[in-house]
Amino acid sequence: MRWRSKQLPALLLGSALVAGVLGIGTMATAADPGAAQAAPSAAHAGHMSAESTQASGDDADGDGYIPAVPQVTGVTPSSATPPPRYFHEFQANCSVTHTAPDDPIVYPGQAGRSHDHTFMGNTSTNAASTTASLYGGSTTCKAPADASAYWMPSLYKGDQKVLPVGPQVIYYKTGVTDYTSVRPFPKGLRFVVGNPLQTAQQFRAHKGFVEGWECGDSFFNVDIPASCPNRPDVQLNLRMQAPSCWNGLYLDTPDHQSHMAYPVVKPGTNDNMCPASHPVALPMIEFKMAWPVNGDMSQVRLASGRGYSFHYDFFNAWEERTLRAMVDHCIVGGLQCDPRGYDQSHPEQGAVLNAEYRLP
């Protein structure tokens, strides 16, 4: 059944604005359906403008809501606890393609409107990108079926842009305890993780924060360290996780976040499950980025500002059969897979993709 009213997501957006005033990353519980991803929305609104919801691309009427077709309703968040498996993930390793002051999620159709972004995956990504333009396109991801677009603010040292070298690690994991309940992303789903206007405290408290900025033996930095060991083996690193629970209704919403949520803690346990407001468990994306810069870091910054302004965007354009096969084999199957869907600790399980990283 198609969801015909936009009232519920509007209420969620309102909750997001309130949460944003209170602070990002407040711990949620199963009794807290706000679901913890809503909070960044208020700050991210400053990165938007009224023009960013104009009619363009996939949003024909320009209201910022892109309905899923079909919409997923009647789902109850799984509270099951399957047999424990330490890993349930695969990698989508993708190299940098280009940089541009574009953002097809926040500023669709408005070339040059954004701060500079570093793009990975789909080679054609620009301000005018849509599901149709990305799907089936050329990609720098190891699996040709992954034509998704991934991007983040560009990093500079002084006026010199510093680009990650080689395939960057993008994990697809489970964010919920019941890893068997995870299903593939719907075609065309897009969202923003974090926001460029967050404070250092908000970045540290964000549910997607893993270990902050790292270099050498320095970890959990909310800002880019002032210096890093000046050695060839030292790079600047950052990991950040995305929300993995979907409301099942929209591929995008006006704030680009409230259709997604982070898992919540099941009362009386240490288990994670999706909240009732966002009951559909999807893969949890984790960026693990590395920039070839070290030594004196005092002039290192992001295009969006200080290190704690880091955020990133995801626009799904996977070929559906391949994504489902990877999710079912690696995440639902409880394996630690490489980009071919192969777990070297369980060779008996085989690989999803062939030597050319394609589905046989």
Side-chain angles (χ1 to χ4, degrees):
M1 182 179 70
R2 180 185 174 92
W3 183 271
R4 298 186 181 277
S5 170
K6 294 174 182 174
Q7 182 178 10
L8 176 58
L11 289 173
L12 290 174
L13 179 56
S15 299
L17 295 175
V18 172
V21 173
L22 295 176
I24 295 173
T26 303
M27 177 60 73
T29 67
D32 176 13
Q37 172 61 6
S41 306
H44 193 73
H47 188 48
M48 300 167 58
S49 70
E51 298 171 277
S52 68
T53 56
Q54 66 185 8
S56 63
D58 295 327
D59 184 15
D61 59 6
D63 69 350
Y65 291 95
I66 302 176
V69 180
Q71 294 183 320
V72 180
T73 60
V75 175
T76 300
S78 175
S79 60
T81 303
R85 298 296 292 266
Y86 192 77
F87 293 106
H88 1 67
E89 65 185 41
F90 66 90
Q91 295 182 22
N93 293 355
C94 308
S95 300
V96 169
T97 58
H98 60 288
T99 65
D102 289 351
D103 190 324
I105 295 178
V106 177
Y107 297 114
Q110 300 175 70
R113 177 76 174 173
S114 173
H115 54 244
D116 200 75
H117 283 112
T118 294
F119 293 89
M120 297 167 288
N122 198 295
T123 60
S124 72
T125 312
N126 59 33
S129 292
T130 64
T131 303
S133 74
L134 295 173
Y135 189 80
S138 175
T139 180
T140 60
C141 298
K142 288 197 171 182
D146 184 8
S148 302
Y150 309 86
W151 65 95
M152 58 190 174
S154 295
L155 187 103
Y156 290 83
K157 185 169 187 178
D159 294 328
Q160 183 69 37
K161 198 176 296 183
V162 180
L163 300 180
V165 177
Q168 297 300 292
V169 179
I170 300 171
Y171 288 108
Y172 281 57
K173 301 181 175 183
T174 182
V176 294
T177 299
D178 184 9
Y179 55 88
T180 67
S181 69
V182 176
R183 64 180 73 188
F185 290 119
K187 182 179 178 180
L189 181 75
R190 68 210 71 180
F191 52 78
V192 178
V193 183
N195 71 86
L197 300 182
Q198 63 203 355
T199 65
Q201 181 181 2
Q202 289 170 331
F203 179 53
R204 178 63 184 87
H206 194 276
K207 283 188 172 294
F209 186 95
V210 181
E211 293 181 350
W213 294 96
E214 310 172 3
C215 66
D217 295 325
S218 180
F219 301 90
F220 293 102
N221 298 291
V222 297
D223 205 353
I224 297 170
S227 64
C228 292
N230 189 5
R231 302 198 314 263
D233 63 322
V234 172
Q235 297 193 85
L236 181 66
N237 296 275
L238 181 69
R239 296 168 60 190
M240 191 170 185
Q241 297 175 342
S244 59
C245 297
W246 179 44
N247 68 7
L249 306 177
Y250 295 102
L251 302 176
D252 197 12
T253 43
D255 68 345
H256 316 297
Q257 296 186 328
S258 61
H259 55 307
M260 299 296 297
Y262 284 91
V264 295
V265 179
K266 179 182 176 182
T269 73
N270 291 320
D271 293 348
N272 291 325
M273 58 184 290
C274 284
S277 59
H278 297 72
V280 184
L282 301 177
M284 181 191 75
I285 286 181
E286 178 182 311
F287 268 30
K288 185 178 181 182
M289 303 290 110
W291 292 265
V293 61
N294 56 34
D296 179 9
M297 305 284 286
S298 60
Q299 299 301 309
V300 178
R301 60 181 174 83
L302 294 171
S304 53
R306 298 283 291 272
Y308 46 78
S309 71
F310 184 82
H311 57 288
Y312 66 87
D313 301 56
F314 168 68
F315 194 140
N316 176 43
W318 273 87
E319 188 276 320
E320 295 94 327
R321 293 182 311 116
T322 307
L323 178 59
R324 175 169 290 281
M326 292 289 283
V327 169
D328 287 350
H329 183 75
C330 301
I331 298 179
V332 175
L335 299 175
Q336 184 184 26
C337 294
D338 64 13
R340 284 189 59 217
Y342 176 77
D343 184 345
Q344 63 180 0
S345 297
H346 293 277
E348 75 282 359
Q349 298 293 324
V352 176
L353 307 180
N354 62 23
E356 288 73 43
Y357 294 88
R358 297 180 183 274
L359 195 65

